[in-house]
Amino acid sequence: MIILLLNSSILGEAYKDKAKDFAEEARDTASEFAKNAKETFGSNDNQKLLAGIVALLFGGFGIHKFILGYTKEGATLLGVSIAGILLSCFGIGALFVWIPTVIGFVEGIIYLTKSDAEFYNTYQLGKKPWF
């Protein structure tokens, strides 16, 4: 009986050590994953891809402009779209809705076809707001 108790206490210590080692390894892996996620999320590739896809899908509302930090241009597209929606009962409103949508679609294609370096230099360093 005493031998069994000694064996279980020795095994318990060994399992505690293994659990501590596993916890330290998991903590290191989690911190490395968080570091890599921050680098990936903050990279220019994601802004390019995100801005391009949003411009293709919701270009008329100027959301892609807000993503890139162009608040004036984004507000302009959003305002023209809202005015077009409000004026759509008149004939001229349809024109106001289509123009921002086409601009956003064209910009989305331009964003996605540029190389990463060219996109970064043109739209993030150069701050070119339109096309």
Side-chain angles (χ1 to χ4, degrees):
M1 183 75 142
I2 295 175
I3 295 173
L4 185 60
L5 288 174
L6 286 175
N7 276 343
S8 65
S9 68
I10 292 171
L11 286 175
E13 291 297 321
Y15 286 126
K16 283 183 186 178
D17 290 338
K18 284 186 178 185
K20 284 181 185 179
D21 291 341
F22 179 76
E24 287 176 18
E25 185 178 327
R27 192 175 310 120
D28 292 341
T29 304
S31 66
E32 184 179 326
F33 177 78
K35 180 183 149 197
N36 289 339
K38 284 180 184 177
E39 289 174 3
T40 302
F41 183 72
S43 73
N44 300 323
D45 296 342
N46 282 343
Q47 282 189 334
K48 173 188 158 185
L49 186 63
L50 179 64
I53 291 173
V54 168
L56 289 174
L57 298 176
F58 306 109
F61 298 110
I63 298 171
H64 62 288
K65 295 290 190 184
F66 291 111
I67 289 171
L68 294 174
Y70 302 122
T71 54
K72 266 196 305 190
E73 292 80 5
T76 301
L77 285 175
L78 183 62
V80 171
S81 291
I82 290 174
I85 291 169
L86 293 176
L87 294 173
S88 64
C89 58
F90 306 112
I92 194 77
L95 183 65
F96 281 112
V97 172
W98 282 99
I99 289 174
T101 303
V102 170
I103 289 172
F105 190 78
V106 169
E107 285 184 337
I109 291 171
I110 291 171
Y111 292 167
L112 293 174
T113 57
K114 284 191 177 285
S115 69
D116 295 339
E118 193 176 20
F119 177 83
Y120 180 75
N121 290 331
T122 304
Y123 297 106
Q124 291 181 317
L125 286 180
K127 293 292 184 186
K128 182 180 176 188
W130 298 103
F131 297 110

